[in-house]
Amino acid sequence: MKSNDARKVLGEKKFHETLKERYGVGEERAETCRLRLLRAVEKFEELFGADREIRVYSAPGRTEIGGNHTDHQGGRVLAAGVDLDAVGVASAGGNGITVHSEGFSPDRLNPAELMPRAGEEGSSAALIRGICAGMAAQGRKIGGFRAYTQSDVLPGSGLSSSAAFEVLIGRIADDLFGSGDADPVRIAQIGQDAENRYFGKPCGLMDQTACAVGGFAMIDFQDAKQPAVEKIPFDFSGCGYRLCIIDTKGSHAGLTADYAAIPEEMRRVAACFGKTLLSQVLEEEFYADLARVRSQTGDRAVLRAIHFFGDNRRVARQAAALRENRFADFLALVRESGRSSFMYLQNVYSPSRVEEQGVALGLALCERLLSGCGGAWRLHGGGFAGTVQAYVPKKEFDGFRREAEAVFGPGSCVPLAVRTAGAIRIL
């Protein structure tokens, strides 16, 4: 489609009906999305010229619904794509790859040079190079293309802004140089590999998978090379609740050791049984031998293992509750998961920074505001600092938001919609 034709389509208000379905949002939010896509096309024309053949893409951010720190032990997680997304406008052609992301200098690459480059670690260029290399390994003949990208996925909020960008670039490369029907999980794996080997960050696969697949998705990482993904058909828009996150404005700086200790201690427990991951250990054997495990690993490692076993089972129960439209049961499990993270996983605040407990304060605030009206709350993401997730009855949401933002500041309470579509071409 020519860019001027894309502008005409996006310029029609009726197009927001399409966006309501794809983003899982109402009238007002769909209109915001339509105008944002229109501006993206206009920005592409400004950067690369008008009247080109273009395609328009979107990849959602994601929110963790259940399974806190279970993925790195080969366990299950429940995640959902959200309406905050990374969008891209792209056009094939030329000798080089140019990706201009809003707010950043453009990245320029040679499609014939896709091996990792020393000194490029930690850059968006490294991610683009790695993703194009992964697509080339899948048989795509990667050529030159131009792209403009923009994201409203909040950085540092646990909504996976980097994973959304990765699967967006993967979907663009697959669509421009392949058939456009690459398996979403494969796109996620290519994004993870790019982040691991090219960008230099040893991330797991949950974020990319949730962004690529969209909707509610239960992901089982027992086989890390080929995780089992089940999309759960549940219409969140009709449940009577608003989903939101509260950014408690805590800094993640200096918390690397706290994060690293969780998988290290869980693996130490697994090693007591001759295994490498807790998912390989039978829960009944763990409890039968608790005294020995405690003496060999320490109490905190034991408690973190208790969290793993409980939350891993809870994910399957949460998925079943959504599948069977038992939303009250689902919310009860959300509250259970939150208590487990606080009591057993112990990732609500850093033991080295006891004066900074924003997440704990956010959870306490949610309990005060929601315990009497059937709401639910839990820690969201890696923990120690960052965000709280809450499910708020729609009629209570405005008041809840005011109270939360009175404590954590304007804009700290961010409403989310669950988006059914994963990384897709929109036009």
Side-chain angles (χ1 to χ4, degrees), residues 52 90 119 201 293 309 315 317 348 410 419 426:
R52 291 183 181 277
K201 180 180 177 181
V293 177
F309 289 121
V315 167
R317 293 168 63 200
V348 172
R419 164 176 155 162
I426 290 179

Side-chain angles (χ1 to χ4, degrees), residues 249-413:
K249 308 294 176 69
S251 171
H252 291 85
L255 296 176
T256 301
D258 292 309
Y259 292 122
I262 294 175
E264 192 276 327
E265 289 179 11
M266 288 184 177
R267 289 190 180 101
R268 204 188 308 158
V269 172
C272 290
F273 299 90
K275 307 296 183 182
T276 56
L277 300 174
L278 278 178
S279 61
Q280 301 161 349
V281 177
L282 294 176
E283 186 175 359
E284 54 268 31
E285 289 185 4
F286 164 76
Y287 279 107
D289 212 2
L290 202 56
R292 178 180 69 88
V293 177
R294 181 188 182 199
S295 68
Q296 292 183 7
T297 66
D299 289 344
R300 190 173 72 171
V302 167
L303 289 167
R304 285 175 163 170
I306 288 171
H307 165 81
F308 169 83
F309 289 121
D311 232 30
N312 198 40
R313 278 186 282 103
R314 249 186 305 273
V315 167
R317 293 168 63 200
Q318 284 180 287
L322 291 176
R323 223 183 278 117
E324 297 160 13
N325 205 31
R326 294 183 286 108
F327 197 66
D329 292 343
F330 167 80
L331 292 177
L333 292 165
V334 170
R335 292 189 290 269
E336 280 185 25
S337 178
R339 282 195 296 272
S340 181
S341 289
F342 210 146
M343 293 173 61
Y344 306 133
L345 186 58
Q346 299 181 38
N347 65 333
V348 172
Y349 60 89
S350 171
S352 64
R353 291 189 199 167
V354 293
E355 72 283 359
E356 298 177 23
Q357 298 193 33
V359 172
L361 177 59
L363 293 169
L365 183 63
C366 288
E367 182 176 22
R368 185 182 76 83
L369 296 173
L370 299 177
S371 60
C373 64
W377 56 96
R378 66 189 288 273
L379 176 145
H380 181 256
F384 301 110
T387 57
V388 171
Q389 182 186 75
Y391 297 80
V392 185
K394 287 182 178 179
K395 63 182 180 180
E396 307 287 344
F397 183 74
D398 289 343
F400 175 86
R401 190 177 195 174
R402 280 194 302 273
E403 294 261 13
E405 294 191 349
V407 176
F408 295 108
S412 57
C413 182

Side-chain angles (χ1 to χ4, degrees), residues 82-261:
V82 298
D83 58 310
L84 301 179
D85 67 333
V87 300
V89 181
S91 175
N95 297 321
I97 297 170
T98 300
V99 179
H100 194 128
S101 298
E102 183 184 63
F104 299 92
S105 300
D107 293 308
R108 295 185 172 90
L109 295 78
N110 184 338
E113 298 175 0
L114 297 179
M115 295 297 291
R117 284 197 167 188
E120 200 174 59
E121 298 89 347
S123 69
S124 53
L127 291 175
I128 297 163
R129 193 182 304 277
I131 291 161
C132 288
M135 282 296 170
Q138 295 295 301
R140 277 59 171 173
K141 294 183 179 180
I142 303 296
F145 68 92
R146 303 169 181 85
Y148 168 73
T149 75
Q150 193 273 338
S151 178
D152 66 359
V153 183
L154 304 172
S157 63
L159 296 177
S160 300
S161 56
S162 59
F165 176 77
E166 290 162 22
V167 300
L168 176 73
I169 296 298
R171 181 55 73 196
I172 288 172
D174 175 57
D175 195 53
L176 293 181
F177 303 107
S179 57
D181 60 356
D183 175 55
V185 175
R186 188 67 196 114
I187 289 178
Q189 290 171 323
I190 288 170
Q192 180 202 23
D193 183 68
E195 192 161 339
N196 291 172
R197 294 199 303 119
Y198 284 73
F199 189 84
K201 180 180 177 181
C203 69
L205 185 59
M206 176 182 71
D207 294 353
Q208 293 88 348
T209 302
C211 293
V213 172
F216 285 100
M218 182 169 65
I219 311 165
D220 189 331
F221 290 101
Q222 184 104 35
D223 181 354
K225 293 184 178 179
Q226 195 57 51
V229 180
E230 180 191 354
K231 205 158 180 178
I232 310 298
F234 181 78
D235 179 11
F236 184 81
S237 64
C239 70
Y241 282 75
R242 297 294 300 271
L243 169 64
C244 65
I245 59 166
I246 301 170
D247 182 359
T248 67
K249 308 294 176 69
S251 171
H252 291 85
L255 296 176
T256 301
D258 292 309
Y259 292 122

